[in-house]
Short mmCIF file of all heavy atoms in Angstrom, two decimals:
data_model
loop_
_atom_site.label_atom_id
_atom_site.label_comp_id
_atom_site.label_asym_id
_atom_site.label_seq_id
_atom_site.Cartn_x
_atom_site.Cartn_y
_atom_site.Cartn_z
N ALA A 262 31.98 -103.90 27.15
CA ALA A 262 32.92 -102.74 27.57
C ALA A 262 32.70 -102.28 29.00
O ALA A 262 33.69 -102.06 29.77
CB ALA A 262 32.74 -101.61 26.61
N LEU A 263 31.38 -102.20 29.36
CA LEU A 263 31.05 -101.80 30.67
C LEU A 263 31.53 -102.69 31.73
O LEU A 263 32.08 -102.37 32.78
CB LEU A 263 29.53 -101.40 30.82
CG LEU A 263 29.10 -101.07 32.19
CD1 LEU A 263 29.69 -99.79 32.61
CD2 LEU A 263 27.57 -100.91 32.23
N GLN A 264 31.27 -104.08 31.45
CA GLN A 264 31.89 -105.06 32.35
C GLN A 264 33.34 -104.99 32.57
O GLN A 264 33.89 -105.16 33.52
CB GLN A 264 31.34 -106.47 31.79
CG GLN A 264 29.93 -106.75 31.96
CD GLN A 264 29.49 -108.05 31.44
OE1 GLN A 264 30.39 -108.99 31.37
NE2 GLN A 264 28.31 -108.20 31.04
N ILE A 265 34.10 -104.90 31.31
CA ILE A 265 35.56 -104.78 31.39
C ILE A 265 35.95 -103.60 32.16
O ILE A 265 36.85 -103.57 33.04
CB ILE A 265 36.04 -104.71 29.96
CG1 ILE A 265 35.84 -105.97 29.22
CG2 ILE A 265 37.47 -104.35 30.05
CD1 ILE A 265 36.14 -106.02 27.69
N SER A 266 35.20 -102.46 31.93
CA SER A 266 35.59 -101.24 32.70
C SER A 266 35.34 -101.48 34.18
O SER A 266 36.25 -101.07 34.98
CB SER A 266 34.70 -100.07 32.20
OG SER A 266 34.90 -98.87 33.04
N LEU A 267 34.28 -102.06 34.52
CA LEU A 267 33.98 -102.27 36.06
C LEU A 267 34.99 -103.18 36.51
O LEU A 267 35.32 -102.97 37.68
CB LEU A 267 32.58 -102.83 36.08
CG LEU A 267 31.42 -101.89 35.84
CD1 LEU A 267 30.10 -102.50 35.82
CD2 LEU A 267 31.44 -100.69 36.96
N LEU A 268 35.33 -104.29 35.74
CA LEU A 268 36.34 -105.27 36.18
C LEU A 268 37.62 -104.58 36.51
O LEU A 268 38.30 -104.78 37.50
CB LEU A 268 36.48 -106.30 35.24
CG LEU A 268 37.52 -107.51 35.58
CD1 LEU A 268 37.03 -108.24 36.92
CD2 LEU A 268 37.64 -108.50 34.47
N ALA A 269 38.08 -103.59 35.52
CA ALA A 269 39.31 -102.82 35.73
C ALA A 269 39.30 -101.96 36.92
O ALA A 269 40.26 -101.92 37.64
CB ALA A 269 39.59 -102.10 34.49
N GLN A 270 38.07 -101.41 37.09
CA GLN A 270 37.88 -100.48 38.33
C GLN A 270 38.05 -101.32 39.59
O GLN A 270 38.81 -101.02 40.51
CB GLN A 270 36.68 -99.85 38.33
CG GLN A 270 36.52 -98.70 37.21
CD GLN A 270 35.16 -98.06 37.18
OE1 GLN A 270 34.49 -97.98 38.11
NE2 GLN A 270 34.76 -97.61 36.09
N VAL A 271 37.44 -102.58 39.62
CA VAL A 271 37.41 -103.39 40.77
C VAL A 271 38.84 -103.82 41.01
O VAL A 271 39.46 -103.89 42.26
CB VAL A 271 36.48 -104.68 40.65
CG1 VAL A 271 36.83 -105.64 41.71
CG2 VAL A 271 35.13 -104.12 40.63
N THR A 272 39.60 -104.24 39.94
CA THR A 272 41.06 -104.67 40.11
C THR A 272 41.98 -103.53 40.66
O THR A 272 42.72 -103.83 41.51
CB THR A 272 41.57 -105.03 38.71
OG1 THR A 272 40.75 -106.14 38.19
CG2 THR A 272 43.03 -105.55 38.69
N VAL A 273 41.72 -102.36 40.05
CA VAL A 273 42.54 -101.27 40.52
C VAL A 273 42.19 -100.95 42.10
O VAL A 273 43.09 -100.74 42.84
CB VAL A 273 42.27 -99.94 39.76
CG1 VAL A 273 42.89 -98.70 40.39
CG2 VAL A 273 42.76 -100.04 38.38
N ALA A 274 40.79 -100.97 42.39
CA ALA A 274 40.52 -100.75 43.77
C ALA A 274 41.11 -101.71 44.69
O ALA A 274 41.59 -101.53 45.77
CB ALA A 274 38.97 -100.70 43.81
N GLN A 275 41.09 -103.11 44.26
CA GLN A 275 41.69 -104.14 45.06
C GLN A 275 43.25 -103.97 45.25
O GLN A 275 43.64 -104.19 46.31
CB GLN A 275 41.33 -105.46 44.43
CG GLN A 275 39.92 -105.90 44.53
CD GLN A 275 39.52 -107.16 43.84
OE1 GLN A 275 40.30 -107.60 42.93
NE2 GLN A 275 38.41 -107.84 44.08
N SER A 276 43.78 -103.56 44.17
CA SER A 276 45.28 -103.29 44.30
C SER A 276 45.67 -102.14 45.22
O SER A 276 46.47 -102.22 46.03
CB SER A 276 45.91 -103.11 42.93
OG SER A 276 45.46 -101.89 42.35
N VAL A 277 44.77 -101.17 45.21
CA VAL A 277 44.93 -99.98 46.09
C VAL A 277 44.63 -100.44 47.48
O VAL A 277 45.42 -99.98 48.50
CB VAL A 277 44.09 -98.88 45.60
CG1 VAL A 277 44.04 -97.75 46.70
CG2 VAL A 277 44.57 -98.29 44.33
N GLN A 278 43.74 -101.22 47.72
CA GLN A 278 43.22 -101.60 49.11
C GLN A 278 43.95 -102.82 49.63
O GLN A 278 43.58 -103.20 50.75
CB GLN A 278 41.71 -101.77 48.99
CG GLN A 278 40.99 -100.43 48.73
CD GLN A 278 39.52 -100.74 48.33
OE1 GLN A 278 39.00 -101.86 48.54
NE2 GLN A 278 38.78 -99.74 47.84
N ARG A 279 44.90 -103.31 48.89
CA ARG A 279 45.60 -104.50 49.36
C ARG A 279 46.33 -104.11 50.63
O ARG A 279 47.01 -103.11 50.77
CB ARG A 279 46.69 -104.93 48.34
CG ARG A 279 47.53 -106.08 48.80
CD ARG A 279 48.65 -106.33 47.71
NE ARG A 279 49.59 -105.20 47.65
CZ ARG A 279 50.71 -105.08 48.50
NH1 ARG A 279 50.88 -105.93 49.45
NH2 ARG A 279 51.42 -104.02 48.35
N THR A 280 46.30 -104.97 51.64
CA THR A 280 47.19 -104.89 52.85
C THR A 280 48.00 -106.07 53.09
O THR A 280 47.55 -107.17 52.82
CB THR A 280 46.23 -104.59 54.08
OG1 THR A 280 45.37 -105.58 54.26
CG2 THR A 280 45.39 -103.30 53.94
N HIS A 281 49.07 -105.92 53.58
CA HIS A 281 49.90 -107.03 54.03
C HIS A 281 50.75 -106.54 55.13
O HIS A 281 51.84 -105.90 55.04
CB HIS A 281 50.85 -107.42 52.84
CG HIS A 281 51.74 -108.52 53.19
ND1 HIS A 281 52.47 -109.34 52.28
CD2 HIS A 281 52.33 -109.06 54.46
CE1 HIS A 281 53.19 -110.28 52.91
NE2 HIS A 281 53.09 -110.05 54.21
N ILE A 282 50.20 -106.73 56.33
CA ILE A 282 50.74 -106.04 57.51
C ILE A 282 51.97 -106.90 57.97
O ILE A 282 51.98 -107.96 58.17
CB ILE A 282 49.66 -106.05 58.61
CG1 ILE A 282 48.51 -105.09 58.23
CG2 ILE A 282 50.29 -105.52 59.88
CD1 ILE A 282 47.31 -105.07 59.18
N ILE A 283 53.01 -106.02 58.24
CA ILE A 283 54.23 -106.48 58.88
C ILE A 283 54.50 -105.70 60.10
O ILE A 283 53.99 -104.61 60.29
CB ILE A 283 55.51 -106.47 57.88
CG1 ILE A 283 55.77 -105.00 57.42
CG2 ILE A 283 55.24 -107.35 56.66
CD1 ILE A 283 56.97 -104.82 56.45
N HIS A 284 55.46 -106.22 60.91
CA HIS A 284 55.56 -105.70 62.25
C HIS A 284 57.07 -105.16 62.44
O HIS A 284 58.09 -105.93 62.33
CB HIS A 284 55.34 -106.60 63.36
CG HIS A 284 54.00 -107.36 63.16
ND1 HIS A 284 52.83 -106.71 63.36
CD2 HIS A 284 53.59 -108.53 62.62
CE1 HIS A 284 51.87 -107.52 63.06
NE2 HIS A 284 52.25 -108.60 62.68
N PRO A 285 57.26 -103.86 62.77
CA PRO A 285 58.58 -103.44 63.10
C PRO A 285 59.02 -104.04 64.46
O PRO A 285 58.17 -104.39 65.18
CB PRO A 285 58.44 -101.77 63.11
CG PRO A 285 56.99 -101.64 63.46
CD PRO A 285 56.34 -102.72 62.89
N LEU A 286 60.31 -103.81 64.68
CA LEU A 286 60.82 -104.41 66.04
C LEU A 286 60.57 -103.43 67.14
O LEU A 286 60.54 -102.13 66.96
CB LEU A 286 62.21 -104.82 65.95
CG LEU A 286 62.54 -105.90 64.90
CD1 LEU A 286 63.89 -106.41 65.04
CD2 LEU A 286 61.55 -107.01 64.96
N LYS A 287 60.50 -103.90 68.46
CA LYS A 287 60.66 -103.10 69.61
C LYS A 287 62.00 -102.56 69.68
O LYS A 287 62.97 -103.27 69.38
CB LYS A 287 60.13 -103.85 70.79
CG LYS A 287 58.71 -104.28 70.73
CD LYS A 287 58.34 -105.10 71.96
CE LYS A 287 56.85 -105.51 71.88
NZ LYS A 287 56.48 -106.46 73.01
N LEU A 288 62.32 -101.45 70.33
CA LEU A 288 63.62 -100.92 70.56
C LEU A 288 64.50 -101.84 71.26
O LEU A 288 65.73 -101.89 70.86
CB LEU A 288 63.54 -99.51 71.21
CG LEU A 288 62.94 -98.34 70.28
CD1 LEU A 288 62.69 -97.12 71.27
CD2 LEU A 288 63.68 -98.13 69.01
N GLU A 289 63.97 -102.49 72.25
CA GLU A 289 64.89 -103.41 73.00
C GLU A 289 65.35 -104.61 72.32
O GLU A 289 66.20 -105.49 72.66
CB GLU A 289 64.10 -103.78 74.34
CG GLU A 289 62.81 -104.53 74.13
CD GLU A 289 61.64 -103.70 74.11
OE1 GLU A 289 61.71 -102.47 73.80
OE2 GLU A 289 60.50 -104.13 74.46
N GLN A 290 64.71 -104.89 71.07
CA GLN A 290 65.09 -106.05 70.25
C GLN A 290 66.20 -105.75 69.30
O GLN A 290 66.68 -106.58 68.56
CB GLN A 290 63.83 -106.54 69.37
CG GLN A 290 62.72 -107.02 70.39
CD GLN A 290 61.43 -107.32 69.57
OE1 GLN A 290 61.12 -106.63 68.66
NE2 GLN A 290 60.75 -108.37 69.96
N VAL A 291 66.66 -104.50 69.23
CA VAL A 291 67.72 -104.01 68.27
C VAL A 291 68.83 -103.33 69.02
O VAL A 291 68.52 -102.34 69.86
CB VAL A 291 67.10 -103.16 67.27
CG1 VAL A 291 68.10 -102.91 66.06
CG2 VAL A 291 65.81 -103.80 66.52
N LYS A 292 70.09 -103.59 68.65
CA LYS A 292 71.14 -102.79 69.09
C LYS A 292 71.98 -102.23 67.88
O LYS A 292 72.39 -103.08 67.17
CB LYS A 292 72.10 -103.59 69.99
CG LYS A 292 73.22 -102.87 70.60
CD LYS A 292 72.68 -101.80 71.58
CE LYS A 292 73.97 -101.11 72.35
NZ LYS A 292 73.44 -99.99 73.14
N VAL A 293 72.04 -100.91 67.76
CA VAL A 293 72.84 -100.47 66.64
C VAL A 293 74.22 -100.35 66.90
O VAL A 293 74.68 -99.91 67.95
CB VAL A 293 72.23 -99.06 66.27
CG1 VAL A 293 73.07 -98.35 65.26
CG2 VAL A 293 70.83 -98.96 65.78
N ASN A 294 75.00 -100.85 66.11
CA ASN A 294 76.53 -100.84 66.08
C ASN A 294 76.92 -100.40 64.67
O ASN A 294 77.38 -101.36 63.89
CB ASN A 294 77.17 -102.03 66.58
CG ASN A 294 78.68 -102.02 66.67
OD1 ASN A 294 79.13 -100.84 66.61
ND2 ASN A 294 79.31 -103.07 66.81
N ASP A 295 76.89 -99.19 64.24
CA ASP A 295 77.07 -98.80 62.78
C ASP A 295 78.12 -97.68 62.70
O ASP A 295 78.14 -96.72 63.43
CB ASP A 295 75.72 -98.40 62.36
CG ASP A 295 75.76 -98.01 60.80
OD1 ASP A 295 75.76 -99.04 60.03
OD2 ASP A 295 75.82 -96.82 60.53
#
């Protein structure tokens, strides 16, 4: 049970700490016509 609990905590921690970095555009790369 303790192993399962620790595994669950690690899984939750990993999901919380997941990063997937994306990049917004620079202003000069976009022209709004809306």
Side-chain angles (χ1 to χ4, degrees):
L263 181 59
Q264 289 179 24
I265 293 172
S266 174
L267 290 172
L268 179 62
Q270 291 177 30
V271 169
T272 301
V273 170
Q275 287 175 343
S276 66
V277 167
Q278 294 166 10
R279 176 189 67 85
T280 60
H281 180 161
I282 294 175
I283 60 177
H284 311 284
L286 299 192
K287 298 176 182 178
L288 291 175
E289 60 266 27
Q290 295 171 323
V291 187
K292 182 67 176 177
V293 172
N294 182 15
D295 184 77

